[in-house]
Amino acid sequence: MRGVRAVVFDQFGVRPEVRQVPDPVPPAGGVLVGVEASGLCRSDWHGWRGDDPEIRLPHVPGHEFAGAVVAVGAGVVGWRVGDRVTAPFVHACGRCPSCAAGDQQICERQTQPGFTQWGSFAEYVAVDHAEVNLVGLPDDVGYDAAAILGCRFATAFRAVVARGRVAAGEWVAVYGCGGVGMSAVMIAAAAGARVVAVDVTAAALDLARSLGATVCLDAAAAAGPAEVAAAAREATGGGVHLSLDALGSHHTCVASIESLRRRGRHVQVGLLPPNRGRPALPMDLVIAQELDLLGSHGMPAHAYPQLLRLVTAGILRPERLVTQTIGLADVPEALSTMDRPSRAGVRLIHPR
């Protein structure tokens, strides 16, 4: 391999740059993947801002990707050069008690490309413990669609289906229609739920409506989270059965809980970094109305087949979320401005 181009930042909150980095090598038990597509996610912005204490500088971000195996490390069985793959953003060890229970998404010794190690805003990315972390791609799932699965779409799928236990006919609110939120809208609608999409931009709400949202609420026009939650309860005749905070802010977390009907379920998906303080939750409502508060953190590799079957059948179409494709040279500007209102949909990076 030649020298590798990657997006690198040397200080938190300072604009990254594209430069040559040393050639990576596959880890023992792992593989090296040639990145064909990588998603630009708000979690990457959190990492660049300094919200993740595990990041060591200099750093290459990026954690959702798809590509082909280009090198195999010592001891790898079942994978070979040329295999088309993706991987969850949590790379599990495969040996801890959580992994033994099938809960690799909360592995006690997990690594995460783009956080604990260099990530996929580069031409190549390493995957640890290939046996438990690689996901083979069907021939009819393209790299762009597969890259979205690694974080936002798989995260939304598990949050809605496994953690949220969505059922046809239920009302589902989605707070924050970014990549995860828009994925949740599509998944909940495909499951037969009636979706309330909440966001602060008209473009995001328009896209959510096109993906199946029944009701769209403009949070920018509301006086605060209580007013947004009241609008959701009114629109659904008493509150939603399931609500997701897909953004990760004090306001969206509280509004999501307050929009529930009795015995409703709140799933926290968006990150709430502790260095920004912890939200004051309406625990009086949680007790009086017997609400469930749940966390959801990605999806393990062994759970991908169910999702991939729905993608190959055309029931779920993650590629519809892609509204812009950029190269590595465009990433520094895109990453450093992710906190600003922008166009709706997912931006994908093609590193090559």
Side-chain angles (χ1 to χ4, degrees):
M1 280 180 286
R2 54 183 172 78
V4 174
R5 294 169 64 242
V7 175
V8 185
F9 59 85
D10 299 298
Q11 298 179 59
F12 294 116
V14 175
R15 185 186 175 95
E17 64 179 18
V18 179
R19 62 177 186 244
Q20 296 288 118
V21 299
D23 284 358
V25 295
V31 302
L32 197 64
V33 175
V35 180
E36 295 294 338
S38 182
L40 183 62
C41 178
R42 189 173 175 86
S43 298
D44 300 313
W45 178 83
H46 277 293
W48 169 75
R49 281 291 302 264
D51 290 337
D52 192 316
E54 294 188 298
I55 291 178
R56 299 290 178 264
L57 301 175
H59 187 65
V60 176
H63 64 283
E64 53 179 1
F65 58 88
V69 175
V70 297
V72 176
V76 171
V77 176
W79 299 99
R80 60 185 180 181
V81 171
D83 285 343
R84 301 174 68 252
V85 296
T86 186
F89 71 88
V90 171
H91 289 188
C93 73
R95 295 171 178 81
C96 70
S98 293
C99 286
D103 294 326
Q104 286 89 349
Q105 76 282 354
I106 52 172
C107 171
E108 296 159 31
R109 293 191 290 269
Q110 64 185 255
T111 57
Q112 294 185 18
F115 299 97
T116 63
Q117 63 200 59
W118 282 13
S120 59
F121 291 177
E123 294 176 300
Y124 302 95
V125 65
V127 176
D128 294 327
H129 306 296
E131 178 185 358
V132 293
N133 295 315
L134 278 187
V135 176
L137 295 176
D139 291 338
D140 51 357
V141 176
Y143 287 127
D144 283 6
I148 298 173
L149 302 183
C151 175
R152 69 195 82 203
F153 208 87
T155 294
F157 184 78
R158 184 168 174 275
V160 171
V161 175
R163 298 294 280 163
R165 309 185 306 277
V166 69
E170 288 189 325
W171 280 105
V172 177
V174 178
Y175 282 82
C177 294
V180 173
M182 213 69 78
S183 301
V185 168
M186 179 188 290
I187 292 162
R194 295 168 290 175
V195 180
V196 179
V198 185
D199 203 88
V200 296
T201 66
L205 294 175
D206 287 344
L207 182 55
R209 189 176 291 108
S210 74
L211 296 174
T214 304
V215 176
C216 293
L217 299 179
D218 182 0
E227 187 172 317
V228 176
R233 293 195 303 271
E234 181 179 356
T236 58
V240 299
H241 301 84
L242 169 64
S243 186
L244 292 82
D245 175 10
L247 175 66
S249 76
H250 292 199
H251 283 178
T252 50
C253 176
V254 171
S256 174
I257 296 169
E258 292 184 345
S259 66
L260 293 171
R261 66 179 59 206
R262 294 173 185 275
R263 305 210 76 184
R265 309 173 307 275
H266 161 81
V267 181
Q268 187 63 41
V269 186
L271 297 178
L272 290 165
N275 64 350
R276 299 192 179 187
R278 289 187 166 92
L281 303 181
M283 296 305 293
D284 56 325
L285 293 180
V286 173
I287 296 167
Q289 299 182 13
E290 292 194 351
L291 306 179
D292 289 344
L293 305 187
L294 303 163
S296 194
H297 189 245
M299 189 170 80
H302 68 74
Y304 272 66
Q306 178 189 6
L307 171 57
L308 286 170
R309 284 193 293 270
L310 295 172
V311 173
T312 56
I315 296 170
L316 296 175
R317 297 178 58 196
E319 69 277 3
R320 290 188 61 193
L321 303 179
V322 179
T323 55
Q324 186 184 20
T325 301
I326 62 177
L328 283 182
D330 305 306
V331 173
E333 173 68 14
L335 178 62
S336 58
T337 58
M338 281 200 76
D339 59 328
R340 303 175 192 173
S342 61
R343 72 183 71 194
V346 172
R347 281 177 284 188
L348 275 187
I349 302 160
H350 286 176
R352 298 166 183 275

